[in-house]
Amino acid sequence: EIVMTQSPATLSVSPGERATLSCRAGQSVRSSLAWYQQKPGQAPRLLIYGASTRATGIPARFSGSGSGTEFTLTISSLQSEDFAVYYCQQYNKWPVDFGQGTKLEIK
Amino acid sequence: QVQLQESGPGLVKPSGTLSLTCTVSGGSISSSNWWSWIRQPPGKGLEWIGEIYHSGSTNYIPSLKGRAIISLDKSKNQYSLKVNSVTAADTAVYYCAKNGDTGGWFDPWGLGTLVTVSS
């Protein structure tokens, strides 16, 4: 098991501002890192895989960076629909592991 | 595009067996892909349960200690999850999801179905 630690647990940001979410892996996962967005009552939606590749249909304001143990999800200009819970997930080592999530809320 | 939909009983008695089916549309379950089950206890994070390949090969999370079985029904384009000896700790929203074509991410996901373990 690889422990995935996301910070902060809750992030308060105003619409139009930038949000930066962090994910730290307990050991190197190379670039095998995905990010998901989950809104209340909905399934998670893939945003980023390979640490920095946007999934199909994901707006360009979402970007991922990092490798090894430190990763960042940046949302450049927050829209109302971006307020949700975000999860990171490593898939470098079996079994895959998810972080505990960061809740992005409106300030 | 591929879509997934979970189905099955929403209430299971303690020590009973949880049984769920994922119906795949817009694509063939016989394609060269892994298909997974993931669960989320109420108000908590995500836990990968296991996966099945189009050939029938399976992998499971060790913490389930052999209680889970995933199987394929190619004739119905479905795959299923059974978890036996359930307890309240198995109460969760259960999602089926397609593994990434070239990696271990998940996309797309089904809508999810809540399974409650209670007498």
Side-chain angles (χ1 to χ4, degrees), chain A residues 36 38 42-43 87 89 91 94, chain B residues 40 48 60 95 104-106 110:
Chain A
Y36 302 86
Q38 186 178 34
Q42 296 186 16
Y87 293 96
Q89 176 231 332
Y91 52 91
W94 186 89
Chain B
Q40 184 173 35
W48 177 82
Y60 303 99
Y95 297 100
W105 62 86
F106 305 105

Side-chain angles (χ1 to χ4, degrees), chain B residues 2-44:
Chain B
V2 174
Q3 292 183 308
L4 299 89
Q5 176 68 64
E6 306 86 352
S7 59
L11 182 64
V12 181
K13 289 184 173 11
S15 77
T17 298
L18 176 161
S19 296
L20 296 174
T21 296
C22 181
T23 300
V24 178
S25 59
S28 173
I29 202 167
S30 298
S31 62
S32 299
N33 274 111
W34 288 90
W35 305 86
S36 284
W37 286 98
I38 298 160
R39 67 182 180 181
Q40 184 173 35
K44 296 188 177 179

Side-chain angles (χ1 to χ4, degrees), chain B residues 23-98:
Chain B
T23 300
V24 178
S25 59
S28 173
I29 202 167
S30 298
S31 62
S32 299
N33 274 111
W34 288 90
W35 305 86
S36 284
W37 286 98
I38 298 160
R39 67 182 180 181
Q40 184 173 35
K44 296 188 177 179
L46 299 160
E47 179 182 49
W48 177 82
I49 297 170
E51 62 189 356
I52 189 164
Y53 197 48
H54 69 97
S55 64
S57 297
T58 53
N59 295 303
Y60 303 99
I61 192 168
S63 60
L64 278 178
K65 299 179 181 177
R67 295 192 296 123
I69 298 175
I70 300 174
S71 58
L72 278 175
D73 187 337
K74 294 182 179 180
S75 67
K76 295 182 179 179
N77 220 35
Q78 296 174 335
Y79 65 107
S80 298
L81 170 70
K82 291 186 187 296
V83 180
N84 58 39
S85 304
V86 297
T87 69
D90 295 307
T91 293
V93 175
Y94 285 76
Y95 297 100
C96 57
K98 177 177 170 288

Side-chain angles (χ1 to χ4, degrees), chain A residues 3-107:
Chain A
V3 177
M4 306 298 293
T5 303
Q6 292 186 240
S7 60
T10 303
L11 181 62
S12 299
V13 183
S14 300
E17 294 189 341
R18 174 188 298 256
T20 302
L21 289 68
S22 296
C23 176
R24 174 176 293 179
Q27 60 183 262
S28 175
V29 299
R30 302 192 296 178
S31 294
S32 300
L33 193 286
W35 289 95
Y36 302 86
Q37 176 193 69
Q38 186 178 34
K39 297 179 180 178
Q42 296 186 16
R45 178 176 70 145
L46 177 70
L47 299 175
I48 301 283
Y49 62 92
S52 61
T53 302
R54 277 190 303 277
T56 302
I58 301 304
R61 65 180 182 272
F62 291 91
S63 63
S65 63
S67 66
T69 62
E70 300 285 344
F71 300 88
T72 300
L73 174 69
T74 301
I75 311 171
S76 60
S77 178
L78 279 165
Q79 307 297 304
S80 58
E81 62 266 29
D82 299 336
F83 293 96
V85 179
Y86 292 82
Y87 293 96
C88 62
Q89 176 231 332
Q90 73 81 18
Y91 52 91
N92 183 65
K93 182 178 178 183
W94 186 89
V96 302
D97 299 285
F98 292 89
Q100 82 282 12
T102 289
K103 182 179 181 180
L104 180 57
E105 62 177 28
I106 300 175
K107 186 175 182 180

